[in-house]
Amino acid sequence: MKKILVLPGDGIGVEVADQTIRVIDHLNTSNNLNVEYEKDLIGGASYDANGEPLTQHVLEKAKQADAILLGAVGGSKWDNVERTKRPEAGLLGLRKELELFANLRPAIVFDALSSSSSLKEEIVKGLDIVIVRELTGGVYFGQPRGIEEYESGKQKAIDTQIYFDYEIDRIARVAFNLARKRNNKVTSVEKANVMETGVLWRKVVKNTHRDFGDVELENMLADNCAMQLVRNPKQFDVLVTDNLFGDLLSDCAAMLTGSLGMLPSASLGAEVEGKTNGMYEPVHGSAPDIAGQNKANPIATILSFSMMLRYSLDQQDLAKIVEDVIQEVLNEGFRTADIYNNDSQTLVSCSKMGDLIIERL
Ligand code: IPM
Ligand code: MN
């Protein structure tokens, strides 16, 4: 019996997590999945209930779970909360405490959606790339940071971009190993022309590459990479980059697939207290503007669960079934609002999308 912790979080996180739980229930009864889950609070929901976006209690549960499924955190309701108690701090704390340093964000264009992208169909049709984002270092966590007075009444803000060689080496290894199972090409992205961290990044990746001579390595500056992603995304196979560039480039890659509502992610880690945890979450945020309206697209979260089946629960066959079913539902023309673009399609709600997927499983 595997144990998973479900943290729906805020906004549409709750709705998309609910649909994913229905999928888990279904697979438990009809496919002998044998997974036990528990729900708890994270982000703004946890702050409202406990005054903290991530409680010690939830952190302990997360450490003991075999995997974590997370919805989304954040919302304007918490705009004025101090930074360390903001919903996002809960998510970042979980990533850091569990040492989930490798964030895999695959951007795959389903055939049925190749005309939903804002880019021309021929540019995105058949796209299948993965962004490997470093998740526990860089400017997200670097010290010193803060806003200080430098003269009476005048302020300055400091963030620190910092990378240790071992952090770059271990994320590069994840990317090279992944490329070996795919098309054998890694593009390493930094700004070595401007940043010291970029210079070290390039040097360490080159060094690590010596152990992966069979994989092609290309270095690319981050601004050029942003441009290439919208110009000709199919030139890429695996992209590896730091925490901040990975955040930006993965939103961009997500949109190539038609909608942010389609992109899943897996955050995998080092061993912490004798266990390797994995956390699975959609790339999209809590979308407060549509929260509570049953309009959200649950596919990114259900696909995140299928990544969990693959990487944490050793259920490759079931993962494939879930992915095939999603493809089927899209082929049949069912669309949530974010991917609906013409009247030959059937517009469905979040829970209806859940129904359709479960019916076909
Ligand atoms: C993401 C999100 C988070 C990030 C936020 C919610 C802290 O945008 O997972 O991409 O910046 O990493
Ligand atoms: Mn982001």
Side-chain angles (χ1 to χ4, degrees), residues 13 26 38 46 52 76 80 87 122 126 133 214 248 251 266 287 300 344:
H26 179 86
E38 219 180 313
S46 172
E52 299 280 341
S76 50
N80 297 321
E122 69 261 27
R133 169 187 177 194
D214 52 314
L248 305 181
D251 264 34
S344 73

Side-chain angles (χ1 to χ4, degrees), residues 84-357:
T84 57
K85 302 224 184 257
R86 287 177 57 94
E88 291 80 1
L91 174 58
L92 296 177
L94 210 46
R95 290 173 178 172
K96 190 72 176 172
E97 291 289 333
L98 297 176
E99 248 191 286
L100 301 168
F101 69 87
N103 184 215
L104 275 43
R105 299 190 157 185
I108 295 170
V109 173
F110 287 88
D111 275 344
L113 293 188
S114 55
S115 62
S116 306
S117 172
S118 50
L119 295 189
K120 291 195 200 85
E121 185 161 356
E122 69 261 27
I123 293 187
V124 296
K125 198 173 169 54
L127 181 75
D128 179 353
I129 64 177
V130 184
I131 296 185
V132 177
R133 169 187 177 194
E134 199 291 324
L135 203 59
T136 50
V139 72
Y140 271 63
F141 297 98
Q143 292 294 338
R145 65 180 288 162
I147 299 180
E148 294 167 11
E149 206 164 81
Y150 67 93
E151 240 178 51
S152 173
K154 294 186 172 177
Q155 292 184 310
K156 65 176 181 184
I158 307 160
D159 287 299
T160 300
Q161 163 81 338
I162 175 166
Y163 268 106
F164 289 84
D165 47 7
Y166 73 89
E167 292 177 301
I168 304 169
D169 174 67
R170 68 182 180 180
I171 194 74
R173 283 180 194 280
V174 171
F176 287 126
N177 278 315
L178 187 64
R180 274 187 174 159
K181 295 186 204 141
R182 298 172 42 93
N183 295 316
N184 254 316
K185 181 176 169 190
V186 170
T187 306
S188 169
V189 180
E190 27 59 11
K191 268 186 78 72
N193 55 343
V194 177
M195 299 169 75
E196 300 301 331
T197 48
V199 172
L200 185 67
W201 186 281
R202 195 174 280 211
K203 182 175 152 197
V204 173
V205 171
K206 188 175 167 203
N207 212 19
T208 308
H209 182 230
R210 291 203 193 125
D211 292 343
F212 299 86
D214 52 314
V215 181
E216 184 191 340
L217 170 64
E218 168 189 47
N219 298 296
M220 194 176 275
L221 298 175
D223 51 348
N224 182 27
C225 180
M227 187 273 277
Q228 296 295 340
L229 265 177
V230 289
R231 190 185 76 90
N232 175 21
K234 284 189 250 176
Q235 69 185 284
F236 298 116
D237 177 25
V238 176
L239 286 159
V240 61
T241 190
D242 78 11
N243 205 342
L244 183 61
F245 292 144
D247 183 42
L248 305 181
L249 296 172
S250 62
D251 264 34
C252 177
M255 211 49 214
L256 302 172
T257 69
S259 166
L260 254 180
M262 293 296 298
L263 211 71
S265 86
S267 304
L268 308 173
E271 221 175 70
V272 173
E273 294 172 18
K275 229 175 147 146
T276 333
N277 293 68
M279 180 156 81
Y280 300 82
E281 51 178 316
V283 170
H284 65 69
S286 58
D289 52 322
I290 58 162
Q293 299 174 32
N294 197 19
K295 276 187 189 164
N297 184 350
I299 292 180
T301 312
I302 297 173
L303 285 174
S304 300
F305 174 66
S306 106
M307 291 185 88
M308 182 194 292
L309 288 170
R310 232 177 254 289
Y311 296 118
S312 288
L313 305 179
D314 199 21
Q315 295 272 3
Q316 282 72 10
D317 295 349
L318 271 187
K320 177 88 172 64
I321 292 174
V322 172
E323 287 153 17
D324 287 350
V325 160
I326 287 172
Q327 190 140 8
E328 221 176 285
V329 170
L330 294 171
N331 286 343
E332 290 172 46
F334 295 105
R335 301 282 190 275
T336 44
D338 56 311
I339 45 177
Y340 177 84
N341 56 11
N342 71 63
D343 52 20
S344 73
Q345 302 164 345
T346 314
L347 179 64
V348 299
S349 64
C350 179
S351 56
K352 180 71 190 173
M353 185 55 94
D355 294 343
L356 292 163
I357 290 169

Side-chain angles (χ1 to χ4, degrees), residues 56-104:
Q56 200 56 38
H57 170 75
V58 168
L59 179 59
E60 281 313 313
K61 273 193 190 171
K63 284 182 178 167
Q64 275 147 33
D66 291 296
I68 302 148
L69 181 77
L70 189 132
V73 298
S76 50
K77 181 178 175 196
W78 302 282
D79 273 354
N80 297 321
V81 174
E82 70 158 292
R83 192 181 50 76
T84 57
K85 302 224 184 257
R86 287 177 57 94
E88 291 80 1
L91 174 58
L92 296 177
L94 210 46
R95 290 173 178 172
K96 190 72 176 172
E97 291 289 333
L98 297 176
E99 248 191 286
L100 301 168
F101 69 87
N103 184 215
L104 275 43

